[in-house]
């Protein structure tokens, strides 16, 4: 082979790896290295002011797991996550279905649902903090006109979780709606028309045809919502002026506890890094659980298709 042929053969083999290498290089720089370095810090007594004070093994992990505040943060995080993710996915699918219909000024409405996403989280938290104020809030004023007693949004644990979940839903529902809208537009119209010809109404067509075809997108949105929901920080941090998660830590999340250990309170980066790694392991477990559920759903669909073909 001539050198030109060898160069061409090498180019064909190596070009795909060169095209994807920038992502992996960037990921190694801003993702993998900080993750490994955080694990190294978690194994040491590491102060924000003094620095590394020696290797202590899993002492930081033992300290964190023995703290009631850490488990309160875990419970609060999952509570806010469930209160935000489940209604968010349902509302996003409903909004996407409306945007997929024959509306006037489609571009305007599709751009409009994305406006809350581009608003700064701090601004959203400040506005909703006034809406959910305990004494002079708009929500309590409206409830008072209906004869309902005011709700202590900053005193009751569940009420504070509902308020923070409302902020999250306000910001992310439109974003997920556009993802579902793109998936709906990718569905062949022949399938929808066939269902209509068979006598199915709009609701039956949506539930029996559109939603099952959106299953891969729903799984994707659930996974991304899980990863983002377990790392929630901005909304609960700005829910009051103190930023500690309430007087009794009613809405303190895991990331807020991480911040308190590392910077706001003890300034112990080793314990803060241990919390970060525990949160990372929790996210990995949920990602593997979602992957397992996805495989089960895919295998179930394959078996049902084979049974239909056999019949």
């Amino acid at each position: 082979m001539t050198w030109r042929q060898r160069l061409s053969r090498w180019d064909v083999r190596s070009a795909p790896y060169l095209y994807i290498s920038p992502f992996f290089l960037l990921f190694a720089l801003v993702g993998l290295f900080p993750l490994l370095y955080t694990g190294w810090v978690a194994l040491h007594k590491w102060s924000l002011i003094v620095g590394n004070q020696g290797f202590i093994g899993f002492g930081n992990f033992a300290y964190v797991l023995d703290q009631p505040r850490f488990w309160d943060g875990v419970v609060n995080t999952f509570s806010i996550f469930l209160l935000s993710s489940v209604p968010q996915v349902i509302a996003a699918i409903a909004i996407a279905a409306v945007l997929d219909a024959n509306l006037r000024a489609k571009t305007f409405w599709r751009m409009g649902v994305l406006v809350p996403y581009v608003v700064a989280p701090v601004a959203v938290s400040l506005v909703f903090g006034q809406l959910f104020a305990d004494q002079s809030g708009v929500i309590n004023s409206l409830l008072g006109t209906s004869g309902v007693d005011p709700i202590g949004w900053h005193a009751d644990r569940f009420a504070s979780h509902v308020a923070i979940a409302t902020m999250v839903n306000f910001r992310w529902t439109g974003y997920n709606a556009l993802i579902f809208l793109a998936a709906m537009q990718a569905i062949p119209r022949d399938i929808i028309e066939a269902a209509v010809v068979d006598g199915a109404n709009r609701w039956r067509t949506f539930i029996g045809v559109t939603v099952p075809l959106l299953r891969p997108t729903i799984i994707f949105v659930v996974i991304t919502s899980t990863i983002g929901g377990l790392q929630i920080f901005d909304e609960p941090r700005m829910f009051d002026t103190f930023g500690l998660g309430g007087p009794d830590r009613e809405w303190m999340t895991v990331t807020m506890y991480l911040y308190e250990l590392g910077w706001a309170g003890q300034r112990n980066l080793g314990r803060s890094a241990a919390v970060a790694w525990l949160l990372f392991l929790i996210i990995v477990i949920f990602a593997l659980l979602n992957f397992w559920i996805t495989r089960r759903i895919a295998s179930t669909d394959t078996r049902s298709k084979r049974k239909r073909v056999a019949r």
Side-chain angles (χ1 to χ4, degrees), residues 235-258:
E235 289 82 0
R237 169 74 176 170
M238 298 297 298
F239 189 53
D240 65 352
T241 56
F242 300 101
L244 298 176
D248 293 328
R249 303 300 190 268
E250 290 89 351
W251 63 87
M252 182 191 69
T253 61
V254 176
T255 53
M256 292 181 65
Y257 182 63
L258 182 154

Side-chain angles (χ1 to χ4, degrees), residues 160-228:
S160 63
H161 294 180
V162 172
I164 296 173
T166 304
M167 301 183 204
V168 178
N169 291 334
F170 173 77
R171 288 196 64 229
W172 290 96
T173 300
Y175 175 83
N176 290 327
L178 292 183
I179 296 177
F180 286 122
L181 176 62
M184 288 182 183
Q185 292 180 338
I187 298 175
R189 295 299 173 182
D190 297 340
I191 301 176
I192 306 297
E193 294 174 357
V196 174
V197 170
D198 290 339
N201 54 25
R202 288 186 177 180
W203 175 252
R204 184 60 183 171
T205 302
F206 179 75
I207 296 298
V209 178
T210 304
V211 173
L213 293 176
L214 290 177
R215 187 175 297 167
T217 307
I218 294 174
I219 294 173
F220 169 77
V221 171
V222 168
I223 293 175
T224 54
S225 299
T226 301
I227 296 174

Side-chain angles (χ1 to χ4, degrees), residues 59-68 70-71 257 278:
N60 290 324
F61 291 92
Y63 173 85
V64 170
L65 293 175
D66 193 47
Q67 297 301 308
F70 170 75
W71 296 108
Y257 182 63
L278 290 173

Side-chain angles (χ1 to χ4, degrees), residues 10-290:
W10 179 85
D11 180 62
V12 171
R13 291 184 176 181
S14 60
Y17 299 99
L18 294 177
Y19 290 143
I20 64 176
S21 60
F23 166 77
F24 289 99
L25 293 175
L26 187 63
F27 171 75
L29 180 63
V30 302
L32 185 60
F33 172 74
L35 179 65
L36 298 177
Y37 189 73
T38 302
W40 173 257
V41 173
L43 299 176
H44 292 73
K45 184 179 180 182
W46 205 296
S47 173
L48 179 64
I49 299 176
V50 180
N52 188 4
Q53 296 176 282
F55 180 81
I56 60 174
F58 292 97
N60 290 324
F61 291 92
Y63 173 85
V64 170
L65 293 175
D66 193 47
Q67 297 301 308
R69 282 191 178 180
F70 170 75
W71 296 108
D72 289 341
V74 172
V75 173
N76 295 337
T77 301
F78 278 95
S79 177
I80 297 172
F81 160 68
L82 292 176
L83 290 173
S84 60
S85 296
V86 176
Q88 184 183 134
V89 172
I90 297 174
I93 294 176
I95 294 174
V98 174
L99 294 176
D100 193 39
N102 293 324
L103 297 176
R104 294 182 179 179
K106 289 184 178 180
T107 304
F108 171 78
W109 296 113
R110 293 173 181 176
M111 292 178 61
V113 298
L114 197 61
V115 171
Y117 173 72
V118 301
V119 177
V122 176
V124 175
S125 301
L126 291 176
V127 172
F128 276 83
Q130 297 299 319
L131 291 176
F132 289 100
D134 293 336
Q135 301 299 329
S136 59
V138 177
I139 305 298
N140 280 335
S141 298
L142 294 176
L143 293 176
T145 58
S146 303
V148 181
D149 295 333
I151 300 175
W153 299 104
H154 293 78
D156 184 73
R157 183 180 297 270
F158 180 75
S160 63
H161 294 180
V162 172
I164 296 173
T166 304
M167 301 183 204
V168 178
N169 291 334
F170 173 77
R171 288 196 64 229
W172 290 96
T173 300
Y175 175 83
N176 290 327
L178 292 183
I179 296 177
F180 286 122
L181 176 62
M184 288 182 183
Q185 292 180 338
I187 298 175
R189 295 299 173 182
D190 297 340
I191 301 176
I192 306 297
E193 294 174 357
V196 174
V197 170
D198 290 339
N201 54 25
R202 288 186 177 180
W203 175 252
R204 184 60 183 171
T205 302
F206 179 75
I207 296 298
V209 178
T210 304
V211 173
L213 293 176
L214 290 177
R215 187 175 297 167
T217 307
I218 294 174
I219 294 173
F220 169 77
V221 171
V222 168
I223 293 175
T224 54
S225 299
T226 301
I227 296 174
L230 295 179
Q231 301 180 54
I232 183 173
F233 178 80
D234 295 334
E235 289 82 0
R237 169 74 176 170
M238 298 297 298
F239 189 53
D240 65 352
T241 56
F242 300 101
L244 298 176
D248 293 328
R249 303 300 190 268
E250 290 89 351
W251 63 87
M252 182 191 69
T253 61
V254 176
T255 53
M256 292 181 65
Y257 182 63
L258 182 154
Y259 177 80
E260 181 179 344
L261 286 179
W263 288 270
Q266 302 181 18
R267 298 186 178 182
N268 192 317
L269 293 182
R271 295 173 180 175
S272 179
V275 175
W277 257 87
L278 290 173
L279 179 61
F280 169 72
L281 294 177
I282 292 174
I283 294 175
V284 169
I285 291 173
F286 269 79
L288 293 176
L289 181 62
N290 287 326

